[in-house]
Amino acid sequence: PEMRKLALQITANCPARDDECEARAIYNYVKRNLRYTGDIAEHKLWAGGPVDSVDLYVTGKRALENGGEDCDGHTVTVSSLAILNGIQAKFRATSPYRWGKEAYTHVYPLLGLPKNNPTRWIAADTTLPGGDHFGQEAPHAKAFDVIA
């Protein structure tokens, strides 16, 4: 209920049935209110064990409470707020490498417009540095999508 209330507050200034305004409002809110942070630093999980990174996965609510997340936390947050406004979402995982299955290093949301029957999917990557990148994708060699 708290996230639904927040989702509706974020889009309150959009005209009724203006799906793109709602998608952009969600993008802007997350870009302003959720700092990009990397994963927990690589370290040994136990004495003599291998050095490994630690990737935490949190809900959109927890990400906003924490105030910072990596790309998967941003993706979950944008997608959750979109879905709670009736906008379909996908996760797009990307790799800078053309070959190899283990090389997917980034994820960001795609938002489907119009709401009830998406005919286009807009990138809403709030982790890209700098200003407004709504609708833009970072360069990548390959990608795959999954429904959020």
Side-chain angles (χ1 to χ4, degrees):
E2 292 172 41
M3 286 296 283
R4 169 71 169 158
K5 181 178 179 181
L6 175 61
L8 294 174
Q9 287 172 345
I10 291 167
T11 60
N13 291 327
C14 291
R17 296 181 179 82
D18 188 339
D19 302 345
E20 187 159 342
C21 178
E22 291 181 5
R24 183 176 286 279
I26 291 163
Y27 168 88
N28 288 335
Y29 179 86
V30 174
K31 184 95 172 159
R32 278 192 318 271
N33 292 285
L34 190 60
R35 187 173 72 90
Y36 175 78
T37 62
D39 288 326
I40 294 174
E42 293 185 356
H43 63 279
K44 289 186 182 244
L45 298 177
W46 64 86
V51 173
D52 204 354
S53 63
V54 177
D55 201 353
L56 301 176
Y57 298 97
V58 299
T59 65
K61 182 175 188 277
R62 180 71 68 206
L64 290 169
E65 288 171 352
N66 291 343
E69 263 302 319
D70 63 355
C71 61
D72 47 71
H74 276 252
T75 299
V76 167
T77 305
V78 170
S79 298
S80 296
L81 292 168
I83 290 167
L84 289 168
N85 269 292
I87 299 170
Q88 293 183 37
K90 293 180 184 180
F91 293 175
R92 174 163 285 170
T94 66
S95 171
Y97 311 106
R98 188 167 304 284
W99 313 111
K101 291 189 269 183
E102 303 297 325
Y104 289 90
T105 58
H106 185 51
V107 64
Y108 54 90
L110 300 174
L111 304 180
L113 301 178
K115 286 182 181 179
N116 296 323
N117 188 21
T119 56
R120 62 190 176 115
W121 293 88
I122 298 174
D125 188 348
T126 54
T127 67
L128 295 175
D132 182 5
H133 297 288
F134 182 75
Q136 298 175 9
E137 297 186 64
H140 56 272
K142 62 183 176 179
F144 73 90
D145 300 345
V146 294
I147 297 294

